[in-house]
Amino acid sequence: MLRTQDSATRERKNLSGLWDFRLDRDGEGRNQRWFDGPLTGARKMPVPASFNDLVTDRETREFFGDIWYQTTVRVPRGWADQRITLQVESATHRATVWVDGVEVASHEGGYLPFEADLTDVVAPGQLVRITLCVNNSLSFQSVPPGVVEDSPAGPRLKYWHDFFNYAGIHRPMWLQSTPRAHLDDVTVVTGLDGAAGTVAWTAAAVDADGLDVRVQLRDEDGAEVASGTGPQGELGIEQVRPWRPLDAYLYDLEVQLVDGDRVVDSFHQPVGVRTVEVRGTQFLINGEPFYFKGFGMHEDHITIGKQHCPASMVRDFELLGWIGANSLRTSHYPYSEEFMDYADRMGFVVIDETPAVGMNMAIGGGIAGTQGYVTFSPETINDQTCEVHAQTIRELVARDKNHPCVVIWSIANEPESTTEAAEAYFRPLFDVARAADPTRPVGFVNVMLAPHGQCRVSQFADVIMLNRYYGWYVHTDDLANAEIAMRTETAGWASEGKPIIFTEYGADTYAGLHQLPAAPWSEDYQVDYLDLQHKIFDEFDEVVGEQMWNFADFATTSGIMRVGGNKKGAFTRDRQPKAAAHQLRQRWTGGAG
Ligand code: BDP
């Protein structure tokens, strides 16, 4: 599957707007075939958006189960003899799609795209009804996992990750036309050798017997720099302009399916020529040591939840630029494709993460404590979950493999990793990631409960990624002991001979609260806490990155440890700086690392 685009041979129609929306409180919609006709008893809801924070009643906000969306759209009349598809970029956490009552697709996983072929179901010029049954519940076989528990007042959805279970259709939906003989996949792998660069391509096509593939690489001015033919090959660029962190350069690779001189299909793939390599304890981009400065983030905004919003995205990148960040992690799920495009364009380096978060029954919502379940067992996270997880890794790599910004695949955040069961679960998943993409380092994010010497999964990782909260969850308000513990553990990891990135370190901070001497929750404590972490990072050459937790305050489930959400942001939820943001800016624009 290629993502949608307008090209010389392809056209798309955005389905964003107000859709009909209905919660299926009794779970009867499928049996009653709500997809067969207009959705009765519906209210309006925007697509894309999370529905949760648009409403005022708790029952709707926290609803889990089947959620129905419906709209009508006219298929453009010019699409005769074309292949017509529908692409959904994100329906959280799964969806089934019907067009005029015909089921056309079903997909598991809330943050990755899927496509339905409508060619035999719709006709150009026709008005068609599109119905989605989105389901936002979680189980031990979903990624992320969760469980529906009985309670005297009815079922309750429980999950272990520390962000609100926003749901809905979060990213744009598209109707698309392509030629019947069409390109179906494009992969690029780039290389550098002194002043020269290479772009290796592989193109897959469908219904393309007797057709050839032609590729042309153009620079940012539109001038052709190389061309080739065939379903795969390698282009050389004599004087290459590499894609560099914060100094991006994107070539345009036009891949054409041709019949002699006639262009049957054309797809444009942006290409950043860069290399990524782990060498000893160094992380190299284009052969040069790279130090990650930035954040773990969230797709999380006031009112719209996890909706992809271009305006909010631009604001976030402006702040990343202002503060001197050069990188981010898509904690804890794949972000929208437009976000990834923009990271490419702006030169931000990305650790790209799957939605495998909360696979740890010893911790819930950031808080350690028994949760009453065994993490890995035949009844909980099991082989079937592993299959879903593997499929998610494959789909993530398929979607993001051509983004120069992506330099590491993170296959999970803070899973249980001290047990034999964890080792058995994760071993094959590293193989899946490496088989899907042999060119990028693979890792996972280690939790504090699996310190150096106890973690059984980090042996598989190319890069050690650590979330550490010495001075917050441990040694709270005791930075002297936090310092000793943090230094001791970091020294342990440093002995592994791999690069270390601190992918989380942070302290909840209520914006506007000041205290001297500093105490937890004050802006002053956040600053002191960060100073301490930075001091330790700077002591170790093996530490090649710091991504503070979190870029901004964000919504979580409520609880006695969360005051209107998680408040570890350097920025508030409305994207204004706390004192820590100024501190980070000083460090990161002053040459940290
Ligand atoms: C880590 C998680 C992250 C949480 C954070 C916290 O990776 O999702 O939000 O801690 O507690 O456990 O703030």
Side-chain angles (χ1 to χ4, degrees):
M1 179 179 96
L2 286 172
R3 70 185 288 197
T4 63
Q5 70 174 219
D6 286 302
S7 77
T9 60
R10 295 169 167 243
E11 239 179 280
R12 61 182 185 166
K13 181 169 180 170
N14 191 326
L15 303 185
S16 300
L18 282 183
W19 286 45
D20 287 333
F21 172 93
R22 182 175 168 186
L23 300 182
D24 193 351
R25 295 191 195 277
D26 300 314
E28 60 194 13
R30 282 176 183 262
N31 282 343
Q32 294 181 359
R33 302 179 67 86
W34 288 2
F35 45 83
D36 265 345
L39 202 56
T40 54
R43 65 203 285 186
K44 293 290 179 191
M45 203 53 84
V47 170
S50 298
F51 66 84
N52 312 77
D53 285 353
L54 303 179
V55 299
T56 53
D57 66 299
R58 166 192 282 265
E59 235 199 320
T60 304
R61 179 173 195 266
E62 292 176 6
F63 177 84
F64 58 93
D66 284 346
I67 302 150
W68 294 78
Y69 284 86
Q70 192 175 76
T71 194
T72 52
V73 58
R74 191 168 295 282
V75 181
R77 66 195 162 94
W79 288 6
D81 301 322
Q82 301 289 296
R83 172 176 170 265
I84 299 172
T85 57
L86 176 77
Q87 218 175 90
V88 183
E89 291 187 20
S90 158
T92 312
H93 294 278
R94 62 193 63 77
T96 303
V97 187
W98 293 265
V99 172
D100 280 347
V102 179
E103 183 176 329
V104 291
S106 232
H107 181 260
E108 174 69 28
Y111 305 95
L112 288 164
F114 63 98
E115 183 174 79
D117 189 339
L118 309 187
T119 315
D120 297 332
V121 185
V122 303
Q126 189 190 352
L127 189 68
V128 296
R129 194 179 51 248
I130 298 175
T131 309
L132 265 80
C133 177
V134 177
N135 182 285
N136 66 341
S137 196
L138 297 167
S139 76
F140 281 114
Q141 278 63 57
S142 64
V143 177
V147 67
V148 178
E149 290 181 338
D150 283 336
S151 85
R156 296 284 184 269
L157 179 66
K158 175 176 179 150
Y159 46 89
W160 297 274
H161 54 269
D162 185 34
F163 54 94
F164 188 76
N165 187 39
Y166 281 117
I169 300 171
H170 284 143
R171 300 172 192 159
M173 276 183 61
W174 305 92
L175 262 194
Q176 171 179 244
S177 79
T178 72
R180 297 215 176 205
H182 61 275
L183 294 159
D184 187 45
D185 194 24
V186 171
T187 309
V188 294
V189 175
T190 61
L192 287 169
D193 185 7
T198 53
V199 177
W201 84 90
T202 309
V206 173
D207 290 337
D209 283 354
L211 302 182
D212 295 320
V213 172
R214 197 162 73 190
V215 298
Q216 280 160 295
L217 191 71
R218 299 188 184 90
D219 65 18
E220 285 188 357
D221 298 323
E224 184 176 305
V225 290
S227 65
T229 53
Q232 59 194 53
E234 189 173 280
L235 301 174
I237 313 166
E238 265 174 43
Q239 289 290 326
V240 73
R241 174 94 188 260
W243 184 96
R244 294 194 178 95
L246 301 185
D247 180 21
Y249 192 89
L250 293 174
Y251 291 89
D252 170 47
L253 182 75
E254 182 177 359
V255 184
Q256 295 176 333
L257 201 56
V258 292
D259 183 5
D261 277 344
R262 189 172 66 89
V263 177
V264 177
D265 192 12
S266 156
F267 183 84
H268 289 263
Q269 175 63 58
V271 176
V273 181
R274 60 105 185 91
T275 61
V276 174
E277 187 193 339
V278 169
R279 194 185 297 158
T281 58
Q282 289 188 320
F283 194 94
L284 306 179
I285 298 182
N286 302 339
E288 289 164 20
F290 180 72
Y291 191 89
F292 295 75
K293 296 182 265 189
F295 300 96
M297 299 184 66
H298 263 300
E299 286 185 316
D300 174 276
H301 289 93
I302 293 167
T303 311
I304 62 176
K306 293 206 175 305
Q307 172 191 336
H308 168 66
C309 165
S312 306
M313 177 187 78
V314 168
R315 172 71 180 174
D316 285 359
F317 275 96
E318 289 292 313
L319 294 177
L320 287 169
W322 173 84
I323 208 168
N326 61 12
S327 71
L328 59 100
R329 175 169 61 119
T330 70
S331 41
H332 296 305
Y333 37 82
Y335 290 4
S336 81
E337 292 167 73
E338 251 186 76
F339 184 99
M340 301 303 283
D341 290 345
Y342 204 60
D344 283 344
R345 184 67 272 162
M346 305 295 286
F348 281 90
V349 170
V350 174
I351 301 175
D352 205 359
E353 190 157 276
T354 72
V357 55
M359 291 188 159
N360 198 331
M361 304 302 136
I363 193 165
I367 300 146
T370 171
Q371 307 289 317
Y373 296 94
V374 174
T375 305
F376 298 103
S377 79
E379 292 74 39
T380 53
I381 298 178
N382 57 19
D383 291 351
Q384 204 184 326
T385 320
C386 193
E387 256 315 301
V388 177
H389 196 157
Q391 180 60 16
T392 307
I393 293 171
R394 287 186 205 104
E395 286 181 29
L396 173 64
V397 173
R399 193 195 74 162
D400 287 353
K401 61 188 172 186
N402 293 331
H403 285 287
C405 67
V406 176
V407 300
I408 298 175
W409 303 113
S410 165
I411 65 170
N413 178 72
E414 294 197 346
E416 175 180 301
S417 62
T418 52
T419 55
E420 204 181 324
E423 185 176 335
Y425 179 92
F426 278 103
R427 182 193 302 271
L429 292 178
F430 279 89
D431 295 341
V432 167
R434 293 199 172 98
D437 180 6
T439 72
R440 288 178 178 88
V442 182
F444 82 107
V445 171
N446 162 289
V447 66
M448 243 186 131
L449 300 173
H452 181 251
Q454 291 180 39
C455 180
R456 299 174 66 139
V457 176
S458 50
Q459 57 173 317
F460 305 124
D462 299 310
V463 179
I464 303 293
M465 296 192 277
L466 303 176
N467 292 354
R468 288 300 179 270
Y469 288 92
Y470 291 110
W472 186 251
Y473 289 121
V474 176
H475 302 305
T476 317
D477 203 15
D478 183 356
L479 294 181
N481 272 306
E483 174 168 353
I484 295 166
M486 173 77 177
R487 182 176 293 113
T488 306
E489 206 205 334
T490 307
W493 286 108
S495 70
E496 295 280 313
K498 296 179 182 180
I500 300 168
I501 302 168
F502 280 91
T503 36
E504 284 185 30
Y505 60 105
D508 280 280
T509 303
Y510 205 83
L513 179 66
H514 287 278
Q515 248 174 320
L516 200 60
W521 288 95
S522 67
E523 295 202 29
D524 315 84
Y525 188 80
Q526 190 181 30
V527 166
D528 288 355
Y529 167 95
L530 295 179
D531 266 342
L532 166 62
Q533 315 300 316
H534 295 153
K535 176 176 159 193
I536 310 260
F537 300 159
D538 292 345
E539 290 174 11
F540 291 90
D541 288 342
E542 295 81 0
V543 174
V544 301
E546 54 195 58
Q547 292 188 331
M548 186 263 199
W549 189 257
N550 187 284
F551 170 70
D553 294 346
F554 58 92
T556 63
T557 47
S558 42
I560 52 169
M561 302 276 280
R562 295 286 175 259
V563 184
N566 188 308
K567 292 280 186 277
K568 294 193 185 70
F571 297 94
T572 56
R573 202 174 181 220
D574 60 353
R575 275 44 182 183
Q576 297 302 336
K578 298 181 191 171
H582 294 282
Q583 170 198 20
L584 287 165
R585 180 167 195 252
Q586 210 167 12
R587 175 172 167 81
W588 289 343
T589 56

